[in-house]
Amino acid sequence: MASGNAIRGSRVGAGPMGEAERGESAPRLRISFWCSNGHETQPSFASDAQIPETWDCPRCGFPAGKDEENPPDPPRTEPYKTHLAYVRERRSDEDGEAILAEALAKLRGEI
């Protein structure tokens, strides 16, 4: 038995949207960008938009440029440093020995 709901399975506003409802689309340009891994990406820009010099590669995340022969260099990542590495940058071995001797003397009750 039919339920009497004639628009069952659809929602308000559903239906094909054409340019008549959305308006005309702006003229577009597709610009090629290449990363240092050789990936090419072609984002679409409005014809009157300012085109950026670099674009992030969607495949590897490296910066991509408009010149295929000379893509931008990948970013240089610094390795993780431990707390001890930062301390060694600030203090020499002699400074460390002096601080250790002072701390040991304090523990022994000599100071």
Side-chain angles (χ1 to χ4, degrees):
M1 182 168 146
S3 67
N5 189 352
I7 57 171
R8 185 173 182 199
S10 66
R11 63 183 192 275
V12 175
M17 280 186 57
E19 286 194 8
E21 291 181 26
R22 281 184 279 148
E24 293 184 27
S25 58
R28 312 296 271 164
L29 294 174
R30 292 190 74 73
I31 307 294
S32 292
F33 289 89
W34 289 271
C35 71
S36 59
N37 287 335
H39 303 140
E40 179 185 10
T41 183
Q42 292 185 327
S44 177
F45 297 97
S47 62
D48 58 348
Q50 184 177 0
I51 309 299
E53 290 299 315
T54 61
W55 192 262
D56 288 339
C57 177
R59 290 180 63 190
C60 64
F62 286 174
K66 292 184 257 182
D67 184 6
E68 184 178 8
E69 302 299 320
N70 298 311
D73 293 327
R76 186 170 168 250
T77 56
E78 293 290 325
Y80 174 76
K81 286 186 183 179
T82 63
H83 177 70
L84 182 59
Y86 284 111
V87 170
R88 285 185 175 162
E89 285 179 0
R90 293 189 314 246
R91 306 214 189 251
S92 66
D93 288 339
E94 294 80 26
D95 291 340
E97 292 293 330
I99 291 170
L100 179 61
E102 182 182 336
L104 288 173
K106 203 181 272 188
L107 283 172
R108 292 179 183 138
E110 299 171 3
I111 295 181

